[in-house]
Amino acid sequence: MTQRRSTSLGPGRMLGILGHPVAHSASPAMHNAAFAAQGMHALYGAFDVPPPQLEKAIAGIRTLGLLGVNVTIPHKEAVMAYLDEVAPTARQVGAVNTIVNRGGRLIGYNTDGWGFLLSLEERGVRVAGRSAVVLGAGGAARAVALHLGMAGAGRLTIINRSRSRAEFLAADLARAKNPVRAEVADPGSEEARAALSQAGLVVNCTPLGMDPDTESTPLEDVGLLPADAVVYDTIYRPLETRLLREARRRGLITINGVAMLVHQGACAWEYWFGRRGPVDVMRAAALAALEERP
């Protein structure tokens, strides 16, 4: 009599992403393709967790024996209160996007900034000494600005519609364990125009240009930028935002949010499995997933 092979993954082989909503996420396709390519018996799912249920969901990681999870909007900050430990860099960023379950002890990390820097390195973009402008003052902007400073960026300017939020972020960065000095400018101001005219790197960390509002842009005059500037948009839906389209037409180097998505995901593997995820496989799967969805 032939025995049927168990389809159970067993403890420590299940992972996933917590968010709300989360059905649109490309992460399951990206990680499951990587597992298959590496011959790993693991499974990654998407878990839609409304904010009031977050504490129970985190407790469920221990109860179910999940190896770990990624965390996305709107839980990156709130989740920190339910973890046993938060790594120093994640504490500085003020957000967690990766959780590891070590024998029931949940530890939070943030791989966004790390993935951002690796995606620049992949394109041969040197950060050290380069003047940078960050558009936005939310969680993504915090991670990007902190890591730009840590990587030795020259002049760093934060441009945001709410000056108070930008000033709060700049002050917070200055108090970090690895202090980062950032200037603040209002959109359209002389200070903003001056910073943009000298920028070697511009990073959009706002939702402007994201589906379905694809004609919005955080930067109305791309013509202000130097001819050798790099324009990076953390948005990956659509793959080419209006900002990137206009920058490309000017002949500037452009990078979309898929780069950061893939590299931060590959970095999460370092915490889960002790090795980097296969970037090329993950990129191909993420792009395929994004192209399948309208």
Side-chain angles (χ1 to χ4, degrees):
M1 180 176 177
T2 303
Q3 289 187 330
R4 295 181 62 186
R5 182 179 177 182
S6 172
T7 57
S8 172
L9 291 173
R13 308 311 293 173
M14 278 288 298
L15 303 101
I17 182 167
L18 309 183
H20 181 69
V22 77
H24 65 283
S25 176
S27 291
M30 183 172 77
H31 286 289
N32 286 324
F35 295 154
Q38 298 286 303
M40 297 170 63
H41 190 49
L43 183 65
Y44 187 107
F47 304 106
D48 193 316
V49 179
Q53 301 300 315
L54 180 60
E55 184 175 6
K56 291 181 179 179
I58 297 304
I61 296 173
R62 298 186 182 92
T63 303
L64 298 174
L66 272 63
L67 176 63
V69 296
N70 286 130
V71 184
T72 190
I73 296 171
H75 303 313
K76 287 187 177 185
E77 297 177 6
V79 75
M80 296 170 69
Y82 307 122
L83 303 179
D84 299 299
E85 182 182 339
V86 176
T89 301
R91 185 73 66 185
Q92 289 184 60
V93 171
V96 161
N97 80 330
T98 300
I99 298 172
V100 180
N101 181 0
R102 292 183 179 162
R105 183 173 175 80
L106 302 185
I107 305 173
Y109 300 91
N110 191 300
T111 65
D112 285 333
W114 185 12
F116 168 71
L117 290 180
L118 285 172
S119 67
L120 288 174
E121 182 181 306
E122 179 182 58
R123 293 291 298 272
V125 178
R126 179 179 171 82
V127 172
R130 186 183 289 259
S131 292
V133 171
V134 175
L135 306 176
R142 181 183 296 271
V144 165
L146 179 66
H147 283 77
L148 283 173
M150 291 168 60
R155 179 182 180 186
L156 177 60
T157 304
I158 300 169
I159 299 176
N160 191 56
R161 287 184 295 185
S162 168
R163 186 177 183 88
S164 62
R165 281 179 60 88
E167 289 176 340
F168 180 84
L169 173 56
D172 219 24
L173 292 170
R175 291 191 296 265
K177 183 178 180 181
N178 301 299
V180 174
R181 182 177 180 275
E183 301 173 11
V184 171
D186 298 318
S189 66
E190 286 302 315
E191 292 83 2
R193 294 176 67 86
L196 290 166
S197 69
Q198 300 171 37
L201 172 65
V202 176
V203 187
N204 176 38
C205 296
T206 78
L208 292 175
M210 185 185 296
D211 282 340
D213 190 17
T214 57
E215 285 311 301
S216 291
T217 179
L219 187 59
E220 291 293 342
D221 190 0
V222 176
L224 289 170
L225 303 179
D228 61 348
V230 177
V231 179
Y232 195 123
D233 202 325
T234 59
I235 292 171
Y236 57 81
R237 190 187 299 274
L239 293 175
E240 186 176 64
T241 59
R242 177 183 163 190
L243 173 63
L244 294 185
R245 183 170 66 248
E246 293 177 354
R248 175 177 55 79
R249 287 173 178 169
R250 276 207 64 220
L252 306 181
I253 295 173
T254 62
I255 305 174
N256 66 23
V258 171
M260 186 169 170
L261 170 72
V262 169
H263 280 282
Q264 64 81 23
C267 289
W269 276 49
E270 292 271 9
Y271 297 118
W272 294 331
F273 308 115
R275 66 181 188 274
R276 192 79 52 85
V279 171
D280 290 342
V281 172
M282 296 171 83
R283 179 184 289 109
L287 287 171
L290 290 168
E291 289 169 357
E292 283 177 4
R293 299 188 180 103

